[in-house]
Amino acid sequence: MSFIPYGRQCIDDDDVGAVAAVLRSDYLTTGPTVEAFETALSSHVWADHSVVCSSGTAALHLAMLSLGLAKGDWAIVPSMTFAATANAVRYVGGEVIFADVDPDSGLMRPGDFEAALERAGAHHVRAVLPVHYAGQCADMPAIAEIAKSRNIAVIDDASHAIGTRYQGNGTEWSIGSCAHSSATIFSFHPVKTIAMGEGGAVTTKDNSFAQRLRRFRSHGIERNPAQFVNQDAAENPWYYELVELGFNYRASDIQCALGLSQLGKLDRFVSRRSELVARYDSLITPLSPTVLPIGRVSGCTPAWHLYPVLIDYSTIGRSRDFLMNAMREQGIGTQVHYIPLHTQPYYNDRYGELSLPGAEQFYERILSLPLYPQLTDSDQDRVVETLIYILQK
Ligand SMILES: *Cc1c(COP(=O)(O)O)cnc(C)c1O
């Protein structure tokens, strides 16, 4: 029996063909496929501007740079996320205030945001980075309202949530449209919903923000003569200006060809993922309340990235360590998303002991079961049968 990982990419012959076509073309990077992917991404997530880049982490860094976040500024980040969300704040010299999350859904609630603001005291809070954990979305309208009243920028990390829609004020919104944020971040790492190998994107409604993102993506170099500081030199054909310190965070045409081809399958991926989530929900019902699905939020139509369950290890008398190893021996991969960031040595050393009971309770119980489009119904039956077998042993 083949090993079932917790997540994996779904690559077909047409994806391979799309990449091969670029390899045979004139442009391996800074060519037409980059823009084609950006245009398609904007239309999928209802964004005005998309800027693709080399990873989700680069996307977060670019957003922080373009916002002008710097030393002396603070940003609020939920503790239940991947390290990159908070690290990006540190890259630009900012400091992080960790927010707690709902102990059942893993999402930062508006009240958690407010409590973090209270802890921030007199510090200058410039940004908040809600994370759409597992594909469900944070309450964006409410978070946006609190942020607006204090002049705080909202940058949502949608690494898990491409394709997620939500309702607010009687309207349907799309994650990435930036209806309730200044910018949205995506990751296209192979474990995420669509793959570029490595890749990411930032979307925004603000044209000048998009221009700053593009400039930081390519060294901080300006090539538009209208923007030159030194207009006298503008006519020289070789001329360009380095106007600020940027990076090389570009994504190649090779990566964008894969992203574009994958994006064409996003709707199919999302619908198979939701089918699998509905099946998991019913298959694990007999294990309730020892094993429960994570809490569901209303007003959200998630494009599921993960299927985490909450397990009461003390009742079953088995540790998570035992369960994960036993599942692995039976050929099934599981993962823990995530160790609360405020407990990681780097952040603990920097900010001292902090207690965030929601994140800690969530972490104690969480385990992600395999979820990806090619997972068959019988693979999924095997996952749940194995889980039941081990828990009852
Ligand atoms: C994957 C991920 C990132 C980082 O994306 P990379 O493309 O791996 O750099 C950031 N935030 C969250 C929540 C993620 O899951």
Side-chain angles (χ1 to χ4, degrees), residues 55-57 60 81-82 84-85 131 157 159-160 187 189 192 199 338:
S55 68
T57 304
L60 283 158
T81 185
F82 181 60
T85 320
V131 175
D157 182 339
S159 296
H160 297 190
S187 164
H189 181 279
K192 306 292 163 67
Y338 294 96

Side-chain angles (χ1 to χ4, degrees), residues 193-265:
T193 305
I194 63 166
M196 283 174 76
E198 294 281 356
V202 187
T203 61
T204 181
K205 283 202 297 212
D206 179 341
N207 185 42
S208 71
F209 192 84
Q211 282 175 9
R212 286 201 296 281
L213 290 166
R214 290 180 200 285
R215 200 158 73 187
F216 278 119
R217 177 177 67 176
S218 200
H219 309 284
I221 285 174
E222 183 61 63
R223 291 184 184 276
N224 176 2
Q227 304 288 332
F228 287 161
V229 174
N230 186 358
Q231 282 296 325
D232 294 348
E235 281 174 22
N236 295 319
W238 67 83
Y239 193 69
Y240 60 83
E241 281 183 349
L242 177 71
V243 285
E244 60 198 336
L245 190 63
F247 296 82
N248 179 351
Y249 278 164
R250 295 185 304 260
S252 69
D253 284 56
I254 305 168
Q255 292 164 301
C256 290
L258 182 55
L260 183 59
S261 174
Q262 290 267 293
L263 196 59
K265 304 167 185 192

Side-chain angles (χ1 to χ4, degrees), residues 104-116:
D104 294 320
S105 72
L107 294 166
M108 178 182 72
R109 297 159 295 191
D112 298 317
F113 174 26
E114 280 173 327

Side-chain angles (χ1 to χ4, degrees), residues 131-194:
V131 175
H132 306 306
Y133 180 90
Q136 293 201 102
C137 51
D139 184 345
M140 292 301 286
I143 288 170
E145 200 173 307
I146 300 163
K148 193 174 173 195
S149 71
R150 310 206 188 197
N151 207 16
I152 295 170
V154 180
I155 309 284
D156 53 328
D157 182 339
S159 296
H160 297 190
I162 186 167
T164 294
R165 308 272 195 254
Y166 60 102
Q167 283 76 42
N169 312 325
T171 312
E172 189 182 38
W173 309 99
S174 172
I175 291 295
S177 68
C178 303
H180 301 101
S181 61
S182 298
T184 302
I185 301 305
F186 294 100
S187 164
F188 306 125
H189 181 279
V191 299
K192 306 292 163 67
T193 305
I194 63 166

Side-chain angles (χ1 to χ4, degrees), residues 25 62 82-83 106 159 185 209 231 260 277 282 289 308-309 349 366 378:
S25 78
L62 288 171
F82 181 60
S159 296
I185 301 305
F209 192 84
Q231 282 296 325
L260 183 59
V277 165
S282 70
V309 290
D349 286 353
I366 208 76
S378 68

